[in-house]
Amino acid sequence: MAHLGPGKAASSKEQAGLRYPSNGKTIYHRPLNRTKTAELSQSSFAYLFSEMVSYAQRRVTGIQELEKRLNLQGHPIGLKLLDLLLTREPPRSQTRPLTIIALLHFIKINLWTHLFGRQADRLEKSSNPDTPDEYMIVDNEPLVNAYISVPREMSQLNCAAFVAGIIEGVCDGAMFPARVTAHSVGGKEEGEMWPGKTVFLVKFQPEVLEREALIGKG
Amino acid sequence: MFVTVFALIIINKAGGLIYNRTFHEGGLNKISTNDYLVLAGTFHGVHAITARLNPLHPPTNRTSTTSSTAAAAAGAGGAPGTHLTRPDPPSGLEVLETENFRMQCVTTLTGIKFLLFTDTTQANVDLAIRRVYDMYSDYVMKNPFYQLEMPVRCDMFDRKLASYIREINNR
């Protein structure tokens, strides 16, 4: 409703000014990229992301701070993508996810397909009884890390912290406040199948679990 | 087993060694890291000399296929209508062959040299070296932690290169 500026008393007349296409599809329903396969160049993304990492690296004191900055770069994208992807759903299923499982499935399937053209590889719940609030999304080879080799002295770093930020944005936007971090779990040995394997650890706030338990009872 | 690719050396545009890797022990003599640096620097110098030493490509005109008079006129006063194109810069040393090995050198537009040491019988070295250049541009140049002109230390590049060369050597 952007046309309803202040001082527009006769807004009912103006209503005709805002026209929707007859098929109900607005610019939000289709990607701006209208090519047949809707593909983008991976190289240009790689260079852009490489610059984003370099930018985040300026004047940071440690790896944790660097990951935090990458996370912050992703967060707004997640918030917006949640709305966008839900808008594009058929009207019947246009509700935001209401349970943790539904939310994680939404991330694993819809979000991943939208961003990377495929689903995430696995979804797991922490088997440790002390941390029932932790869930894991596994990606065997994250697209953002396709060309990145982390130097040995920064081995703790995983640049997929950016994707973790996107996930965090989606969780926050869906009212499931969480902390999401990215961890490399791929082995460094020679014959390793997935050397870049990454786990996104989703740690929900206690109130989310509390609510989840109440819903479960009802 | 047919061993064909022995080693790869990458030299930056200033003549510094930024990458060297041996894929097969025994094909070439082992030399120390210091000698590798000297080798890279020496090769860089020799390459620069050979780039100047080619009588086959006079750098002034390469378009004189139709008539030498047009080219002469262009040289004198820049006659209108003469199609002048910038000649390819001379490439310098490209292949060095001995009875034991063959060395192919590719210089990129940015001045980086890729040297691939292979068996004398190895075919399609052009293709292999091109592929190595592709990998370099992917896994080194797109890595935010790589600093230009510095030695290449990228796990991903090492891994992809090793698997590609292994594929060639086991063929």
Side-chain angles (χ1 to χ4, degrees):
Chain A
M1 289 291 154
H3 70 291
L4 288 181
K8 278 225 174 155
S11 66
S12 57
K13 261 186 219 162
E14 299 281 305
Q15 210 86 59
L18 191 70
R19 279 184 299 174
Y20 281 98
S22 54
N23 60 2
K25 299 272 189 214
T26 64
I27 56 167
Y28 300 113
H29 289 90
R30 274 180 301 189
L32 292 175
N33 180 358
R34 295 284 168 79
T35 53
K36 199 159 195 183
T37 49
E39 280 173 346
L40 295 174
S41 155
Q42 190 177 357
S43 296
S44 41
F45 174 73
Y47 283 119
L48 178 66
F49 188 65
S50 158
E51 282 308 309
M52 285 164 60
V53 174
S54 309
Y55 180 77
Q57 225 178 342
R58 276 181 216 159
R59 295 186 300 277
V60 289
T61 48
I63 288 165
Q64 290 225 317
E65 197 185 345
L66 174 55
E67 287 200 331
K68 178 81 194 148
R69 287 200 189 180
L70 284 171
N71 191 297
L72 281 177
Q73 288 185 13
H75 194 267
I77 300 178
L79 280 176
K80 289 170 192 168
L81 271 183
L82 175 71
D83 280 341
L84 181 73
L85 292 177
L86 288 176
T87 310
R88 286 185 184 170
E89 288 285 307
R92 200 178 293 272
S93 55
Q94 225 174 36
T95 54
R96 69 174 172 85
L98 296 178
T99 60
I100 288 179
I101 298 299
L103 174 73
L104 292 174
H105 262 115
F106 176 81
I107 291 171
K108 174 180 185 258
I109 297 168
N110 299 35
L111 181 74
W112 237 256
T113 314
H114 176 77
L115 289 175
F116 309 122
R118 61 178 173 84
Q119 295 189 9
D121 292 297
R122 227 151 10 98
L123 207 57
E124 279 176 24
K125 189 184 189 312
S126 167
S127 53
N128 185 352
D130 298 336
T131 54
D133 52 349
E134 288 183 355
Y135 290 80
M136 286 169 273
I137 302 168
V138 183
D139 194 327
N140 286 340
E141 39 181 1
L143 181 109
V144 294
N145 286 351
Y147 301 116
I148 295 183
S149 320
V150 175
R152 217 156 284 140
E153 65 271 18
M154 301 172 86
S155 57
Q156 290 299 305
L157 174 72
N158 187 332
C159 295
F162 174 66
V163 181
I166 298 180
I167 299 174
E168 197 171 312
V170 170
C171 293
D172 288 356
M175 296 304 195
F176 285 80
R179 288 277 305 130
V180 185
T181 45
H183 305 273
S184 311
V185 292
K188 288 277 170 273
E189 300 85 62
E190 190 64 5
E192 181 70 32
M193 183 134 178
W194 305 113
K197 187 168 171 177
T198 296
V199 165
F200 297 98
L201 187 68
V202 185
K203 190 176 174 63
F204 289 103
Q205 303 286 337
E207 65 262 27
V208 174
L209 291 170
E210 207 174 303
R211 184 180 66 202
E212 191 86 354
L214 287 174
I215 293 173
K217 263 181 223 154
Chain B
M1 196 176 87
F2 237 41
V3 174
T4 42
V5 178
F6 295 136
L8 170 75
I9 289 182
I10 305 179
I11 302 173
N12 71 9
K13 62 170 173 267
L17 178 79
I18 54 172
Y19 192 80
N20 76 296
R21 183 148 176 197
T22 311
F23 300 103
H24 180 254
E25 303 296 335
L28 303 167
N29 273 342
K30 255 196 179 151
I31 57 175
S32 67
T33 318
N34 208 23
D35 288 344
Y36 265 113
L37 288 167
V38 174
L39 176 72
T42 311
F43 181 82
H44 185 73
V46 171
H47 188 273
I49 293 169
T50 55
R52 297 291 181 101
L53 272 184
N54 57 349
L56 297 179
H57 284 237
T60 45
N61 72 44
R62 292 232 307 154
T63 54
S64 60
T65 47
T66 49
S67 67
S68 55
T69 49
T82 333
H83 181 63
L84 275 180
T85 50
R86 184 188 288 252
D88 287 336
S91 67
L93 178 56
E94 283 181 359
V95 178
L96 183 83
E97 206 166 324
T98 74
E99 60 192 52
N100 296 321
F101 71 91
R102 180 176 191 277
M103 184 208 78
Q104 177 123 8
C105 167
V106 161
T107 314
T108 68
L109 288 175
T110 47
I112 294 164
K113 293 186 194 66
F114 290 81
L115 308 186
L116 205 61
F117 294 83
T118 62
D119 208 324
T120 45
T121 56
Q122 168 76 3
N124 278 339
V125 184
D126 281 354
L127 209 81
I129 214 161
R130 179 82 215 165
R131 188 81 186 81
V132 172
Y133 181 31
D134 283 354
M135 283 184 214
Y136 172 84
S137 46
D138 273 351
Y139 297 102
V140 180
M141 299 316 288
K142 291 176 192 167
N143 182 5
F145 302 102
Y146 175 68
Q147 288 171 313
L148 280 180
E149 307 286 313
M150 296 308 273
V152 176
R153 287 206 190 81
C154 304
D155 295 346
M156 199 90 89
F157 179 63
D158 288 347
R159 211 177 305 133
K160 299 280 172 182
L161 187 68
S163 75
Y164 176 63
I165 300 292
R166 200 181 308 126
E167 195 184 295
I168 295 181
N169 284 354
N170 290 340
R171 201 149 44 193

